[in-house]
Structures are given as C-alpha cells and as structure tokens.
C-alpha cells in the first residue's frame, strides 16, 4: 500500500554535517514528487525547515503541527499548506502520529529521539502498526542501532526491533520503500 502521508521527525537545528541538510531537502523533494503529504513539527529552521521547504518548492503539501510554547523558538513556518497549533507537546505528538501513515526519523536531538521512542513504544504495544523508518545519514544513528542490538541481545526486547524499524542510509534508498 502506497503511503499517502509521512510524519517526519527531525532537528530544528541543521547539525554539523552538510549531508543532513542536503538529504532533508531531498526527502522533501521526493515526498512532493511521490504526492506524499509531509506531516512534521511546523518549524522553519534546521532540518525541519529544509524538509518542509524542499517539499513546498516542488509543489508538495505540508502540514505542520506546533505547540504554542514553541511558536517562536522553532520559528514557525508561515508558508505551509496547513499549520495546526496545539496546547502542548503531548497533543502535538498525538496529532503527528494520527496524521501520518508511517514515521521517518532524520538526524535530530532529544526531542527527535523522544518522538521516535514514543512511536516505537506505541507500535510495540499494538496501539498502531505503522512503518517506522530511520534515515541513517552518514552513520548518524549507528550508536542507536548498536544500542537496540544490545537491548535485544540482553533480552529486553519482546520482538526483533528490525521488524519494526527500517534503516536506510539515504533518501535514494528510501524511495522504493514508500510505495
């Protein structure tokens, strides 16, 4: 089944590696070309801005979801197809999960990991069964992948995490998996 809306979790900062911005923009282009709605945090800075602007530049649809408390901090994007303002982070995450048919994680910080692990936990508890992709650009998530393997080896996983998460090294590798 082709994905119609993809929720993307990523940093509101650009990171130290230029490849992060390049791939975020390429992801936005790909989503527009494949007619997949981008659902994301609503910011116009960092990787958030790059993926949204990449999608919009190619005529794609972009839905941003931002809590009131982050309106200024994450520099709310004013050119989106739709911007939903929530009361708090919990409502934001709930709507992000509801609007996307799958989730994808680009490089990011603590907030990105929080969103990834909440989505994984909900998946594990059978609250949803959505595909989850990690875009492991230049090995950014290698340590996390090692940690997941270690958790599995030490008996803390109920299922093989590789059945829940699809790791891709680039947007190009992701492309055939979105349909």
């Amino acid at each position: 089944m082709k994905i119609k809306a993809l929720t993307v979790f990523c940093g509101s900062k650009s990171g130290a590696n230029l490849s992060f911005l390049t791939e975020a923009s390429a992801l936005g282009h790909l989503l527009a070309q494949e007619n997949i709605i981008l659902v994301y945090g609503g910011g116009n800075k960092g990787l958030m801005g790059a993926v949204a602007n990449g999608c919009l530049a190619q005529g794609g649809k972009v839905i941003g979801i931002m809590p009131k408390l982050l309106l200024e901090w994450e520099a709310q994007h004013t050119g989106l197809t739709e911007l939903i303002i929530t009361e708090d982070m919990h409502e934001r995450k709930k709507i992000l999960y509801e609007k996307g048919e799958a989730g994808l994680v680009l490089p990011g910080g603590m907030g990105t990991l929080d969103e990834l692990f909440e989505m994984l936990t909900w998946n594990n508890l059978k609250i949803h069964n959505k595909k989850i992709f990690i875009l492991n650009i230049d090995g950014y998530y290698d340590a996390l992948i090692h940690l997941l393997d270690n958790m599995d080896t030490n008996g803390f996983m109920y299922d093989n995490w590789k059945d829940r998460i699809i790791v891709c090294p680039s947007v190009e590798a992701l492309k055939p998996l979105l349909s």
Side-chain angles (χ1 to χ4, degrees), residues 35-64:
N35 201 29
I36 298 170
I37 298 168
L38 166 63
V39 180
Y40 85 119
N44 196 18
K45 296 188 323 187
L47 299 187
M48 276 192 190
V51 70
N53 291 327
C55 190
L56 291 167
Q58 299 293 313
K61 293 181 181 172
V62 181
I63 300 172

Side-chain angles (χ1 to χ4, degrees), residues 5 9 31 36 76 80 90 92 95 104 107 112 118 126 133:
F9 304 104
L31 296 179
I36 298 170
Q76 154 194 351
L80 303 177
H90 295 292
R92 176 198 210 183
I95 294 170
L104 182 142
T112 303
E118 186 160 336
K126 311 277 190 267
F133 301 95

